[in-house]
Amino acid sequence: MDVIELLESAALLTPEATATPDDLTAHDIWDLLAHDDWETALNLLEDHADAPPPPLAFWERLATAAQELHLEAGTAWCHWRAAETRNGMIRADLTLGARGAPIPGRGTLRPLWDIGNRSPTGAPAVDIAGLWVEHTPTLAPGERATVRLVPLTPARWTHVRPGQRITLHEGRPALATALVTEVHLRTA
């Protein structure tokens, strides 16, 4: 399948029946594709509204198209959104503490999180979640940003709620604290 076919098929997943005049529709994407503006079409689809959330196939097709267009950031974002669709997503306001270097913001870091779980002995247990920093490629020590987390094991995160504080660990002490603002986990 070539890039134009991928973008066309992804555009068909945009629900026109529920679109308002300001919403992105398949017609808008087709118009861009007819004028060979593939990158703009891909960027608009990447920014697709989340109500209702697009299916996994939407993000997989966009990731393939971005990869074929050699758009590294777009490819990473679409793969990330596919992971969110599979496992769910938690958004939080994170403040990074002392660390020797900035943390990468494009979903490559999978740190340990203390989310309140306990081991069989009653000691704190940590859980893994991928980390995407919104609107910036890195987050330096002392900086604050909105982050998106994709839990490795979503079932262990079901008790996490907005307003809860969680901590990021790369050892002791905790590296960062985050205030949960949204939780959208897969229930099945």
Side-chain angles (χ1 to χ4, degrees):
M1 182 179 283
D2 67 11
V3 172
I4 192 93
E5 290 173 337
L6 288 167
L7 291 174
E8 287 171 348
S9 63
L12 294 175
L13 297 172
T14 306
E16 291 204 44
T18 59
T20 68
D22 295 329
D23 288 336
L24 177 67
T25 65
H27 177 74
D28 299 322
I29 299 301
W30 280 88
D31 188 49
L32 289 166
L33 295 173
H35 293 93
D36 292 329
D37 196 353
W38 297 0
E39 189 170 347
T40 301
L42 180 66
N43 288 336
L44 286 173
L45 287 166
E46 286 175 9
D47 294 336
H48 183 273
D50 287 329
L56 179 60
F58 176 89
W59 295 112
E60 290 172 338
R61 288 178 182 141
L62 286 187
T64 302
Q67 187 171 13
E68 288 188 17
L69 290 169
H70 305 289
L71 303 171
E72 287 183 35
T75 301
W77 177 243
C78 292
H79 282 301
W80 180 266
R81 291 303 306 268
E84 286 184 354
T85 302
R86 281 189 301 275
N87 289 14
M89 182 271 296
I90 295 169
R91 183 178 268 144
D93 184 24
L94 181 125
T95 303
L96 186 60
R99 185 178 198 262
I103 59 172
R106 300 278 186 241
T108 58
L109 187 65
R110 286 168 176 60
L112 301 172
W113 294 88
D114 182 349
I115 58 173
N117 287 332
R118 297 282 178 225
S119 72
T121 63
V126 291
D127 293 278
I128 300 171
L131 173 71
W132 185 283
V133 182
E134 292 186 353
H135 311 297
T136 185
T138 61
L139 184 65
E143 291 183 339
R144 181 177 171 181
T146 300
V147 297
R148 300 168 80 95
L149 309 176
V150 171
L152 180 65
T153 311
R156 292 187 48 83
W157 292 70
T158 57
H159 66 282
V160 175
R161 299 283 180 262
Q164 182 176 344
R165 287 211 178 273
I166 60 176
T167 55
L168 182 154
H169 292 268
E170 283 186 324
R172 297 211 182 264
L175 182 61
T177 59
L179 179 64
V180 175
T181 58
E182 289 180 49
V183 177
H184 304 281
L185 293 175
R186 301 263 314 175
T187 56

